[in-house]
Amino acid sequence: MRFLVVDDSSTMRRIIINTLNKLGHQEILEASNGREGMERLNASDVDMVITDWNMPEMSGIEFIRALRTVDKVKNLPVLMVTTNAAKDDIVEALRAGVNNYIVKPFTPDTFKEKIEAAIPK
Amino acid sequence: MQDLMVSTLVEATHEVFNTMVARELSEEAPIVGDALRPKSNVVGTVGFTGSEKGLVAFYSTLDAANEIAAAMLGMEAHEVNGEMPDAIGEVTNMIAGSFRTKMAAHGDPWAISVPTVTVGSDFYTKYVFQAERVLLPFHMKDSPLYVELILMKT
């Protein structure tokens, strides 16, 4: 599987990539905000998107809304990794088109479980 | 309310360190007011606003900050080269974010800011607004760490 990890924090991208590597995933693209994420999606084939919420230029929510309008990628599974975990946040993210939600701080086991749940059967 | 906020912030701090830094913290009793000014080289802050307004600040020595960054990134502390401020920003963001989520069980969720990180020496953070301050001392082995709750008086 090829992943796109979108987060403005280089630390968080590295943590997510290390976690994906531990889970056996090696093909990973990176972007530091939603606008860059859209550019990567237009230029490459990706199987799953993992995105932060709060980012400059284009937030995670704006990014998900944008990708859901593009034929090539509109059905991609999208996981959101964020500290925004109040009930209202989750409702907003689900309405924007998130498939699953990972709350920071997280464990590798949680990550694995959420990825597996988001893979289309 | 302040007692609930303090205990929730302590819980959020332990959760972040146990899960993302793989370090156990020991804690001391909270210090109310600004009697103790932490000797720290690295300070991360995240603001929040809503039914309560204020800041969460995280204080660390340079060595401890590099150890935290290394643990988060899966490297040795001596290999850390420029990654530390972003890592401390993310630690502060996760502590404040987890605190905000837990507090949302008691009212509407607050909005929180992106983190800012200051690295330097011999500085002290003052605020232009009237504030109540509660300092939470922790230890990561021999390294002192502090989390401060700064509440704007309304």
PDB file of all heavy atoms in Angstrom, chain A residues 42-78:
ATOM      1  N   ASN A  42      -2.455  14.536  -7.074  1.00  0.00           N
ATOM      2  CA  ASN A  42      -2.587  14.735  -8.523  1.00  0.00           C
ATOM      3  C   ASN A  42      -1.425  14.097  -9.276  1.00  0.00           C
ATOM      4  O   ASN A  42      -1.577  13.650 -10.405  1.00  0.00           O
ATOM      5  CB  ASN A  42      -2.665  16.229  -8.851  1.00  0.00           C
ATOM      6  CG  ASN A  42      -4.031  16.799  -8.516  1.00  0.00           C
ATOM      7  OD1 ASN A  42      -5.035  16.103  -8.635  1.00  0.00           O
ATOM      8  ND2 ASN A  42      -4.074  18.047  -8.076  1.00  0.00           N
ATOM      9  N   ALA A  43      -0.234  14.062  -8.624  1.00  0.00           N
ATOM     10  CA  ALA A  43       0.972  13.605  -9.309  1.00  0.00           C
ATOM     11  C   ALA A  43       1.251  12.114  -9.112  1.00  0.00           C
ATOM     12  O   ALA A  43       2.041  11.531  -9.861  1.00  0.00           O
ATOM     13  CB  ALA A  43       2.179  14.411  -8.812  1.00  0.00           C
ATOM     14  N   SER A  44       0.655  11.488  -8.099  1.00  0.00           N
ATOM     15  CA  SER A  44       1.014  10.105  -7.749  1.00  0.00           C
ATOM     16  C   SER A  44      -0.224   9.280  -7.445  1.00  0.00           C
ATOM     17  O   SER A  44      -1.283   9.831  -7.144  1.00  0.00           O
ATOM     18  CB  SER A  44       1.909  10.086  -6.507  1.00  0.00           C
ATOM     19  OG  SER A  44       2.958  10.993  -6.632  1.00  0.00           O
ATOM     20  N   ASP A  45      -0.042   7.969  -7.501  1.00  0.00           N
ATOM     21  CA  ASP A  45      -1.114   7.066  -7.068  1.00  0.00           C
ATOM     22  C   ASP A  45      -0.920   6.743  -5.593  1.00  0.00           C
ATOM     23  O   ASP A  45       0.177   6.365  -5.171  1.00  0.00           O
ATOM     24  CB  ASP A  45      -1.074   5.766  -7.883  1.00  0.00           C
ATOM     25  CG  ASP A  45      -1.511   6.015  -9.329  1.00  0.00           C
ATOM     26  OD1 ASP A  45      -2.363   6.905  -9.537  1.00  0.00           O
ATOM     27  OD2 ASP A  45      -0.985   5.340 -10.225  1.00  0.00           O
ATOM     28  N   VAL A  46      -1.979   6.892  -4.829  1.00  0.00           N
ATOM     29  CA  VAL A  46      -1.936   6.680  -3.382  1.00  0.00           C
ATOM     30  C   VAL A  46      -3.110   5.785  -3.002  1.00  0.00           C
ATOM     31  O   VAL A  46      -4.187   5.879  -3.600  1.00  0.00           O
ATOM     32  CB  VAL A  46      -2.032   8.051  -2.659  1.00  0.00           C
ATOM     33  CG1 VAL A  46      -2.305   7.879  -1.178  1.00  0.00           C
ATOM     34  CG2 VAL A  46      -0.763   8.852  -2.878  1.00  0.00           C
ATOM     35  N   ASP A  47      -2.904   4.917  -1.991  1.00  0.00           N
ATOM     36  CA  ASP A  47      -3.981   4.013  -1.561  1.00  0.00           C
ATOM     37  C   ASP A  47      -4.704   4.487  -0.309  1.00  0.00           C
ATOM     38  O   ASP A  47      -5.833   4.082  -0.050  1.00  0.00           O
ATOM     39  CB  ASP A  47      -3.401   2.615  -1.295  1.00  0.00           C
ATOM     40  CG  ASP A  47      -2.744   2.044  -2.523  1.00  0.00           C
ATOM     41  OD1 ASP A  47      -3.440   1.922  -3.548  1.00  0.00           O
ATOM     42  OD2 ASP A  47      -1.539   1.760  -2.471  1.00  0.00           O
ATOM     43  N   MET A  48      -4.014   5.287   0.521  1.00  0.00           N
ATOM     44  CA  MET A  48      -4.648   5.778   1.752  1.00  0.00           C
ATOM     45  C   MET A  48      -4.005   7.100   2.154  1.00  0.00           C
ATOM     46  O   MET A  48      -2.794   7.287   2.003  1.00  0.00           O
ATOM     47  CB  MET A  48      -4.512   4.762   2.886  1.00  0.00           C
ATOM     48  CG  MET A  48      -5.280   5.162   4.140  1.00  0.00           C
ATOM     49  SD  MET A  48      -5.213   3.916   5.473  1.00  0.00           S
ATOM     50  CE  MET A  48      -6.264   2.617   4.819  1.00  0.00           C
ATOM     51  N   VAL A  49      -4.828   8.017   2.663  1.00  0.00           N
ATOM     52  CA  VAL A  49      -4.340   9.323   3.110  1.00  0.00           C
ATOM     53  C   VAL A  49      -4.441   9.388   4.633  1.00  0.00           C
ATOM     54  O   VAL A  49      -5.454   8.968   5.212  1.00  0.00           O
ATOM     55  CB  VAL A  49      -5.172  10.465   2.486  1.00  0.00           C
ATOM     56  CG1 VAL A  49      -4.760  11.808   3.055  1.00  0.00           C
ATOM     57  CG2 VAL A  49      -5.044  10.442   0.972  1.00  0.00           C
ATOM     58  N   ILE A  50      -3.375   9.888   5.264  1.00  0.00           N
ATOM     59  CA  ILE A  50      -3.386  10.119   6.713  1.00  0.00           C
ATOM     60  C   ILE A  50      -3.092  11.593   6.916  1.00  0.00           C
ATOM     61  O   ILE A  50      -2.033  12.083   6.507  1.00  0.00           O
ATOM     62  CB  ILE A  50      -2.325   9.248   7.419  1.00  0.00           C
ATOM     63  CG1 ILE A  50      -2.632   7.765   7.194  1.00  0.00           C
ATOM     64  CG2 ILE A  50      -2.278   9.570   8.914  1.00  0.00           C
ATOM     65  CD1 ILE A  50      -1.572   6.818   7.737  1.00  0.00           C
ATOM     66  N   THR A  51      -4.014  12.327   7.496  1.00  0.00           N
ATOM     67  CA  THR A  51      -3.844  13.778   7.571  1.00  0.00           C
ATOM     68  C   THR A  51      -4.084  14.327   8.965  1.00  0.00           C
ATOM     69  O   THR A  51      -4.904  13.800   9.726  1.00  0.00           O
ATOM     70  CB  THR A  51      -4.771  14.490   6.560  1.00  0.00           C
ATOM     71  OG1 THR A  51      -4.534  15.911   6.625  1.00  0.00           O
ATOM     72  CG2 THR A  51      -6.244  14.236   6.844  1.00  0.00           C
ATOM     73  N   ASP A  52      -3.372  15.403   9.260  1.00  0.00           N
ATOM     74  CA  ASP A  52      -3.591  16.204  10.458  1.00  0.00           C
ATOM     75  C   ASP A  52      -4.818  17.098  10.221  1.00  0.00           C
ATOM     76  O   ASP A  52      -5.330  17.189   9.097  1.00  0.00           O
ATOM     77  CB  ASP A  52      -2.330  17.069  10.674  1.00  0.00           C
ATOM     78  CG  ASP A  52      -2.371  17.887  11.945  1.00  0.00           C
ATOM     79  OD1 ASP A  52      -3.129  17.545  12.873  1.00  0.00           O
ATOM     80  OD2 ASP A  52      -1.613  18.876  12.015  1.00  0.00           O
ATOM     81  N   TRP A  53      -5.277  17.743  11.265  1.00  0.00           N
ATOM     82  CA  TRP A  53      -6.398  18.684  11.132  1.00  0.00           C
ATOM     83  C   TRP A  53      -5.876  20.122  11.001  1.00  0.00           C
ATOM     84  O   TRP A  53      -6.086  20.801  10.007  1.00  0.00           O
ATOM     85  CB  TRP A  53      -7.322  18.570  12.357  1.00  0.00           C
ATOM     86  CG  TRP A  53      -8.549  19.415  12.346  1.00  0.00           C
ATOM     87  CD1 TRP A  53      -8.644  20.734  11.989  1.00  0.00           C
ATOM     88  CD2 TRP A  53      -9.877  19.017  12.712  1.00  0.00           C
ATOM     89  NE1 TRP A  53      -9.940  21.174  12.123  1.00  0.00           N
ATOM     90  CE2 TRP A  53     -10.711  20.135  12.575  1.00  0.00           C
ATOM     91  CE3 TRP A  53     -10.415  17.818  13.174  1.00  0.00           C
ATOM     92  CZ2 TRP A  53     -12.082  20.097  12.868  1.00  0.00           C
ATOM     93  CZ3 TRP A  53     -11.775  17.774  13.470  1.00  0.00           C
ATOM     94  CH2 TRP A  53     -12.595  18.911  13.313  1.00  0.00           C
ATOM     95  N   ASN A  54      -5.160  20.581  12.040  1.00  0.00           N
ATOM     96  CA  ASN A  54      -4.738  21.994  12.087  1.00  0.00           C
ATOM     97  C   ASN A  54      -3.435  22.181  11.318  1.00  0.00           C
ATOM     98  O   ASN A  54      -2.376  21.770  11.783  1.00  0.00           O
ATOM     99  CB  ASN A  54      -4.540  22.439  13.539  1.00  0.00           C
ATOM    100  CG  ASN A  54      -5.824  22.359  14.327  1.00  0.00           C
ATOM    101  OD1 ASN A  54      -6.856  22.861  13.896  1.00  0.00           O
ATOM    102  ND2 ASN A  54      -5.785  21.706  15.475  1.00  0.00           N
ATOM    103  N   MET A  55      -3.544  22.793  10.146  1.00  0.00           N
ATOM    104  CA  MET A  55      -2.361  23.044   9.322  1.00  0.00           C
ATOM    105  C   MET A  55      -2.509  24.398   8.639  1.00  0.00           C
ATOM    106  O   MET A  55      -3.632  24.826   8.361  1.00  0.00           O
ATOM    107  CB  MET A  55      -2.209  21.966   8.236  1.00  0.00           C
ATOM    108  CG  MET A  55      -1.934  20.580   8.766  1.00  0.00           C
ATOM    109  SD  MET A  55      -1.741  19.376   7.428  1.00  0.00           S
ATOM    110  CE  MET A  55      -3.437  19.238   6.852  1.00  0.00           C
ATOM    111  N   PRO A  56      -1.387  25.060   8.351  1.00  0.00           N
ATOM    112  CA  PRO A  56      -1.459  26.336   7.643  1.00  0.00           C
ATOM    113  C   PRO A  56      -1.835  26.119   6.174  1.00  0.00           C
ATOM    114  O   PRO A  56      -1.736  25.007   5.660  1.00  0.00           O
ATOM    115  CB  PRO A  56      -0.043  26.891   7.765  1.00  0.00           C
ATOM    116  CG  PRO A  56       0.816  25.684   7.917  1.00  0.00           C
ATOM    117  CD  PRO A  56       0.000  24.678   8.671  1.00  0.00           C
ATOM    118  N   GLU A  57      -2.237  27.183   5.537  1.00  0.00           N
ATOM    119  CA  GLU A  57      -2.574  27.222   4.090  1.00  0.00           C
ATOM    120  C   GLU A  57      -3.855  26.472   3.762  1.00  0.00           C
ATOM    121  O   GLU A  57      -4.792  27.031   3.218  1.00  0.00           O
ATOM    122  CB  GLU A  57      -1.424  26.719   3.216  1.00  0.00           C
ATOM    123  CG  GLU A  57      -0.228  27.648   3.237  1.00  0.00           C
ATOM    124  CD  GLU A  57       0.725  27.395   2.106  1.00  0.00           C
ATOM    125  OE1 GLU A  57       0.291  27.244   0.953  1.00  0.00           O
ATOM    126  OE2 GLU A  57       1.947  27.356   2.389  1.00  0.00           O
ATOM    127  N   MET A  58      -3.915  25.176   4.034  1.00  0.00           N
ATOM    128  CA  MET A  58      -5.148  24.414   3.827  1.00  0.00           C
ATOM    129  C   MET A  58      -5.249  23.384   4.941  1.00  0.00           C
ATOM    130  O   MET A  58      -4.381  22.510   5.069  1.00  0.00           O
ATOM    131  CB  MET A  58      -5.141  23.718   2.456  1.00  0.00           C
ATOM    132  CG  MET A  58      -6.424  22.940   2.180  1.00  0.00           C
ATOM    133  SD  MET A  58      -6.339  21.953   0.656  1.00  0.00           S
ATOM    134  CE  MET A  58      -7.044  23.066  -0.525  1.00  0.00           C
ATOM    135  N   SER A  59      -6.276  23.504   5.771  1.00  0.00           N
ATOM    136  CA  SER A  59      -6.415  22.601   6.931  1.00  0.00           C
ATOM    137  C   SER A  59      -6.769  21.192   6.459  1.00  0.00           C
ATOM    138  O   SER A  59      -7.130  20.979   5.293  1.00  0.00           O
ATOM    139  CB  SER A  59      -7.510  23.117   7.864  1.00  0.00           C
ATOM    140  OG  SER A  59      -8.777  22.865   7.291  1.00  0.00           O
ATOM    141  N   GLY A  60      -6.722  20.260   7.404  1.00  0.00           N
ATOM    142  CA  GLY A  60      -7.091  18.881   7.083  1.00  0.00           C
ATOM    143  C   GLY A  60      -8.534  18.767   6.617  1.00  0.00           C
ATOM    144  O   GLY A  60      -8.838  18.012   5.681  1.00  0.00           O
ATOM    145  N   ILE A  61      -9.425  19.499   7.254  1.00  0.00           N
ATOM    146  CA  ILE A  61     -10.837  19.443   6.874  1.00  0.00           C
ATOM    147  C   ILE A  61     -11.023  19.997   5.454  1.00  0.00           C
ATOM    148  O   ILE A  61     -11.723  19.399   4.622  1.00  0.00           O
ATOM    149  CB  ILE A  61     -11.681  20.253   7.892  1.00  0.00           C
ATOM    150  CG1 ILE A  61     -11.670  19.570   9.261  1.00  0.00           C
ATOM    151  CG2 ILE A  61     -13.112  20.443   7.379  1.00  0.00           C
ATOM    152  CD1 ILE A  61     -12.435  18.264   9.347  1.00  0.00           C
ATOM    153  N   GLU A  62     -10.374  21.126   5.163  1.00  0.00           N
ATOM    154  CA  GLU A  62     -10.468  21.710   3.803  1.00  0.00           C
ATOM    155  C   GLU A  62      -9.874  20.755   2.768  1.00  0.00           C
ATOM    156  O   GLU A  62     -10.405  20.612   1.659  1.00  0.00           O
ATOM    157  CB  GLU A  62      -9.728  23.050   3.769  1.00  0.00           C
ATOM    158  CG  GLU A  62     -10.396  24.137   4.580  1.00  0.00           C
ATOM    159  CD  GLU A  62      -9.496  25.346   4.795  1.00  0.00           C
ATOM    160  OE1 GLU A  62      -8.258  25.192   4.787  1.00  0.00           O
ATOM    161  OE2 GLU A  62     -10.031  26.445   4.984  1.00  0.00           O
ATOM    162  N   PHE A  63      -8.779  20.105   3.150  1.00  0.00           N
ATOM    163  CA  PHE A  63      -8.110  19.156   2.268  1.00  0.00           C
ATOM    164  C   PHE A  63      -9.035  17.977   1.935  1.00  0.00           C
ATOM    165  O   PHE A  63      -9.182  17.576   0.775  1.00  0.00           O
ATOM    166  CB  PHE A  63      -6.821  18.684   2.956  1.00  0.00           C
ATOM    167  CG  PHE A  63      -6.125  17.530   2.318  1.00  0.00           C
ATOM    168  CD1 PHE A  63      -5.775  17.541   0.973  1.00  0.00           C
ATOM    169  CD2 PHE A  63      -5.779  16.416   3.073  1.00  0.00           C
ATOM    170  CE1 PHE A  63      -5.111  16.468   0.389  1.00  0.00           C
ATOM    171  CE2 PHE A  63      -5.115  15.345   2.507  1.00  0.00           C
ATOM    172  CZ  PHE A  63      -4.788  15.377   1.163  1.00  0.00           C
ATOM    173  N   ILE A  64      -9.685  17.441   2.950  1.00  0.00           N
ATOM    174  CA  ILE A  64     -10.577  16.289   2.724  1.00  0.00           C
ATOM    175  C   ILE A  64     -11.760  16.699   1.850  1.00  0.00           C
ATOM    176  O   ILE A  64     -12.129  15.989   0.900  1.00  0.00           O
ATOM    177  CB  ILE A  64     -11.062  15.701   4.066  1.00  0.00           C
ATOM    178  CG1 ILE A  64      -9.877  15.114   4.829  1.00  0.00           C
ATOM    179  CG2 ILE A  64     -12.116  14.625   3.834  1.00  0.00           C
ATOM    180  CD1 ILE A  64     -10.136  14.940   6.309  1.00  0.00           C
ATOM    181  N   ARG A  65     -12.326  17.867   2.156  1.00  0.00           N
ATOM    182  CA  ARG A  65     -13.449  18.339   1.321  1.00  0.00           C
ATOM    183  C   ARG A  65     -13.000  18.498  -0.136  1.00  0.00           C
ATOM    184  O   ARG A  65     -13.741  18.161  -1.062  1.00  0.00           O
ATOM    185  CB  ARG A  65     -13.974  19.681   1.848  1.00  0.00           C
ATOM    186  CG  ARG A  65     -14.766  19.525   3.139  1.00  0.00           C
ATOM    187  CD  ARG A  65     -15.409  20.834   3.550  1.00  0.00           C
ATOM    188  NE  ARG A  65     -16.099  20.686   4.815  1.00  0.00           N
ATOM    189  CZ  ARG A  65     -15.965  21.504   5.863  1.00  0.00           C
ATOM    190  NH1 ARG A  65     -15.187  22.568   5.769  1.00  0.00           N
ATOM    191  NH2 ARG A  65     -16.632  21.280   6.970  1.00  0.00           N
ATOM    192  N   ALA A  66     -11.777  19.009  -0.334  1.00  0.00           N
ATOM    193  CA  ALA A  66     -11.266  19.214  -1.698  1.00  0.00           C
ATOM    194  C   ALA A  66     -11.052  17.881  -2.409  1.00  0.00           C
ATOM    195  O   ALA A  66     -11.451  17.709  -3.570  1.00  0.00           O
ATOM    196  CB  ALA A  66      -9.961  20.008  -1.647  1.00  0.00           C
ATOM    197  N   LEU A  67     -10.443  16.920  -1.713  1.00  0.00           N
ATOM    198  CA  LEU A  67     -10.144  15.650  -2.403  1.00  0.00           C
ATOM    199  C   LEU A  67     -11.415  14.851  -2.708  1.00  0.00           C
ATOM    200  O   LEU A  67     -11.451  14.084  -3.675  1.00  0.00           O
ATOM    201  CB  LEU A  67      -9.097  14.828  -1.633  1.00  0.00           C
ATOM    202  CG  LEU A  67      -9.439  14.001  -0.410  1.00  0.00           C
ATOM    203  CD1 LEU A  67     -10.032  12.658  -0.775  1.00  0.00           C
ATOM    204  CD2 LEU A  67      -8.186  13.776   0.423  1.00  0.00           C
ATOM    205  N   ARG A  68     -12.454  15.060  -1.916  1.00  0.00           N
ATOM    206  CA  ARG A  68     -13.722  14.351  -2.173  1.00  0.00           C
ATOM    207  C   ARG A  68     -14.437  14.875  -3.428  1.00  0.00           C
ATOM    208  O   ARG A  68     -15.435  14.295  -3.848  1.00  0.00           O
ATOM    209  CB  ARG A  68     -14.671  14.482  -0.963  1.00  0.00           C
ATOM    210  CG  ARG A  68     -14.225  13.746   0.295  1.00  0.00           C
ATOM    211  CD  ARG A  68     -14.098  12.256   0.103  1.00  0.00           C
ATOM    212  NE  ARG A  68     -13.762  11.540   1.325  1.00  0.00           N
ATOM    213  CZ  ARG A  68     -12.952  10.487   1.363  1.00  0.00           C
ATOM    214  NH1 ARG A  68     -12.384  10.019   0.267  1.00  0.00           N
ATOM    215  NH2 ARG A  68     -12.708   9.870   2.501  1.00  0.00           N
ATOM    216  N   THR A  69     -13.918  15.977  -4.016  1.00  0.00           N
ATOM    217  CA  THR A  69     -14.528  16.516  -5.252  1.00  0.00           C
ATOM    218  C   THR A  69     -13.746  16.122  -6.503  1.00  0.00           C
ATOM    219  O   THR A  69     -14.150  16.463  -7.605  1.00  0.00           O
ATOM    220  CB  THR A  69     -14.605  18.053  -5.198  1.00  0.00           C
ATOM    221  OG1 THR A  69     -13.271  18.582  -5.244  1.00  0.00           O
ATOM    222  CG2 THR A  69     -15.330  18.545  -3.961  1.00  0.00           C
ATOM    223  N   VAL A  70     -12.603  15.434  -6.326  1.00  0.00           N
ATOM    224  CA  VAL A  70     -11.749  15.082  -7.468  1.00  0.00           C
ATOM    225  C   VAL A  70     -11.958  13.606  -7.816  1.00  0.00           C
ATOM    226  O   VAL A  70     -11.710  12.731  -6.967  1.00  0.00           O
ATOM    227  CB  VAL A  70     -10.261  15.348  -7.144  1.00  0.00           C
ATOM    228  CG1 VAL A  70      -9.366  14.936  -8.311  1.00  0.00           C
ATOM    229  CG2 VAL A  70     -10.049  16.817  -6.793  1.00  0.00           C
ATOM    230  N   ASP A  71     -12.402  13.338  -9.048  1.00  0.00           N
ATOM    231  CA  ASP A  71     -12.770  11.969  -9.436  1.00  0.00           C
ATOM    232  C   ASP A  71     -11.683  10.942  -9.117  1.00  0.00           C
ATOM    233  O   ASP A  71     -11.970   9.875  -8.586  1.00  0.00           O
ATOM    234  CB  ASP A  71     -13.077  11.915 -10.939  1.00  0.00           C
ATOM    235  CG  ASP A  71     -14.507  12.389 -11.206  1.00  0.00           C
ATOM    236  OD1 ASP A  71     -15.288  12.524 -10.230  1.00  0.00           O
ATOM    237  OD2 ASP A  71     -14.825  12.657 -12.382  1.00  0.00           O
ATOM    238  N   LYS A  72     -10.419  11.290  -9.437  1.00  0.00           N
ATOM    239  CA  LYS A  72      -9.322  10.327  -9.285  1.00  0.00           C
ATOM    240  C   LYS A  72      -9.157   9.842  -7.850  1.00  0.00           C
ATOM    241  O   LYS A  72      -8.740   8.705  -7.598  1.00  0.00           O
ATOM    242  CB  LYS A  72      -8.022  10.988  -9.764  1.00  0.00           C
ATOM    243  CG  LYS A  72      -6.787  10.122  -9.659  1.00  0.00           C
ATOM    244  CD  LYS A  72      -5.521  10.917  -9.936  1.00  0.00           C
ATOM    245  CE  LYS A  72      -4.292  10.114  -9.566  1.00  0.00           C
ATOM    246  NZ  LYS A  72      -3.077  10.915  -9.509  1.00  0.00           N
ATOM    247  N   VAL A  73      -9.453  10.699  -6.874  1.00  0.00           N
ATOM    248  CA  VAL A  73      -9.123  10.364  -5.480  1.00  0.00           C
ATOM    249  C   VAL A  73     -10.321  10.435  -4.530  1.00  0.00           C
ATOM    250  O   VAL A  73     -10.166  10.225  -3.323  1.00  0.00           O
ATOM    251  CB  VAL A  73      -8.000  11.302  -4.957  1.00  0.00           C
ATOM    252  CG1 VAL A  73      -6.704  11.042  -5.694  1.00  0.00           C
ATOM    253  CG2 VAL A  73      -8.403  12.765  -5.054  1.00  0.00           C
ATOM    254  N   LYS A  74     -11.505  10.697  -5.061  1.00  0.00           N
ATOM    255  CA  LYS A  74     -12.625  10.999  -4.163  1.00  0.00           C
ATOM    256  C   LYS A  74     -13.046   9.813  -3.288  1.00  0.00           C
ATOM    257  O   LYS A  74     -13.678  10.012  -2.250  1.00  0.00           O
ATOM    258  CB  LYS A  74     -13.820  11.525  -4.952  1.00  0.00           C
ATOM    259  CG  LYS A  74     -14.472  10.520  -5.877  1.00  0.00           C
ATOM    260  CD  LYS A  74     -15.621  11.190  -6.622  1.00  0.00           C
ATOM    261  CE  LYS A  74     -16.333  10.203  -7.526  1.00  0.00           C
ATOM    262  NZ  LYS A  74     -17.354  10.882  -8.346  1.00  0.00           N
ATOM    263  N   ASN A  75     -12.664   8.593  -3.688  1.00  0.00           N
ATOM    264  CA  ASN A  75     -13.052   7.425  -2.883  1.00  0.00           C
ATOM    265  C   ASN A  75     -11.929   6.881  -2.000  1.00  0.00           C
ATOM    266  O   ASN A  75     -12.073   5.827  -1.378  1.00  0.00           O
ATOM    267  CB  ASN A  75     -13.558   6.313  -3.800  1.00  0.00           C
ATOM    268  CG  ASN A  75     -14.851   6.714  -4.497  1.00  0.00           C
ATOM    269  OD1 ASN A  75     -15.726   7.341  -3.873  1.00  0.00           O
ATOM    270  ND2 ASN A  75     -14.968   6.416  -5.780  1.00  0.00           N
ATOM    271  N   LEU A  76     -10.797   7.608  -1.946  1.00  0.00           N
ATOM    272  CA  LEU A  76      -9.674   7.137  -1.121  1.00  0.00           C
ATOM    273  C   LEU A  76     -10.043   7.105   0.357  1.00  0.00           C
ATOM    274  O   LEU A  76     -10.696   8.024   0.852  1.00  0.00           O
ATOM    275  CB  LEU A  76      -8.478   8.102  -1.260  1.00  0.00           C
ATOM    276  CG  LEU A  76      -7.544   7.940  -2.444  1.00  0.00           C
ATOM    277  CD1 LEU A  76      -6.422   8.979  -2.315  1.00  0.00           C
ATOM    278  CD2 LEU A  76      -6.963   6.543  -2.498  1.00  0.00           C
ATOM    279  N   PRO A  77      -9.618   6.057   1.086  1.00  0.00           N
ATOM    280  CA  PRO A  77      -9.794   6.093   2.542  1.00  0.00           C
ATOM    281  C   PRO A  77      -8.910   7.170   3.171  1.00  0.00           C
ATOM    282  O   PRO A  77      -7.735   7.300   2.799  1.00  0.00           O
ATOM    283  CB  PRO A  77      -9.377   4.697   2.997  1.00  0.00           C
ATOM    284  CG  PRO A  77      -8.637   4.091   1.871  1.00  0.00           C
ATOM    285  CD  PRO A  77      -9.011   4.799   0.609  1.00  0.00           C
ATOM    286  N   VAL A  78      -9.482   7.928   4.077  1.00  0.00           N
ATOM    287  CA  VAL A  78      -8.748   9.011   4.736  1.00  0.00           C
ATOM    288  C   VAL A  78      -8.844   8.836   6.254  1.00  0.00           C
ATOM    289  O   VAL A  78      -9.944   8.728   6.810  1.00  0.00           O
ATOM    290  CB  VAL A  78      -9.320  10.394   4.354  1.00  0.00           C
ATOM    291  CG1 VAL A  78      -8.575  11.495   5.093  1.00  0.00           C
ATOM    292  CG2 VAL A  78      -9.237  10.613   2.849  1.00  0.00           C
TER     293      VAL A  78
END
